Amino acid sequence: MPPLPGAELVRSAVQLYRYLLRCCRRLPDESARQHYRHAIRQSFKVHADEDDPERIQQIIKRAIEDADWVMNK
């Protein structure tokens, strides 16, 4: 599956969160959707106190790459 349109427009944590949840909707298996939704929420809780803009951009880039990998799997 190709990545969702708009991945290149993700610039903030909220935009990333919405993008990743939209990716989850495209997964064919309900248990996989639940697993990845839970993982997304947990990851956001872990990184909620991050305030370095460069680190936030690194996290966003890596999350999009990981989401693309999951969607192509």
Side-chain angles (χ1 to χ4, degrees):
M1 281 183 196
L4 282 176
E8 65 281 352
L9 301 175
V10 173
R11 297 286 179 246
S12 71
V14 174
Q15 291 173 333
L16 176 64
Y17 188 76
R18 293 180 69 194
Y19 171 80
L20 294 175
L21 290 178
R22 285 185 187 123
C23 285
C24 284
R25 289 186 206 152
R26 297 181 71 196
L27 294 172
D29 183 38
E30 178 61 30
S31 63
R33 286 191 294 265
Q34 288 177 354
H35 169 78
Y36 285 110
R37 277 194 307 258
H38 178 74
I40 291 165
R41 289 184 182 112
Q42 290 301 108
S43 181
F44 272 82
K45 287 178 185 178
V46 168
H47 296 291
D49 61 344
E50 191 65 58
D51 58 356
D52 179 22
E54 186 176 316
R55 176 70 177 130
I56 292 170
Q57 290 304 313
Q58 289 174 346
I59 293 169
I60 289 172
K61 183 177 182 250
R62 179 60 192 252
I64 291 172
E65 289 171 357
D66 290 348
D68 290 345
W69 180 83
V70 169
M71 297 305 290
N72 290 324
K73 179 169 102 160

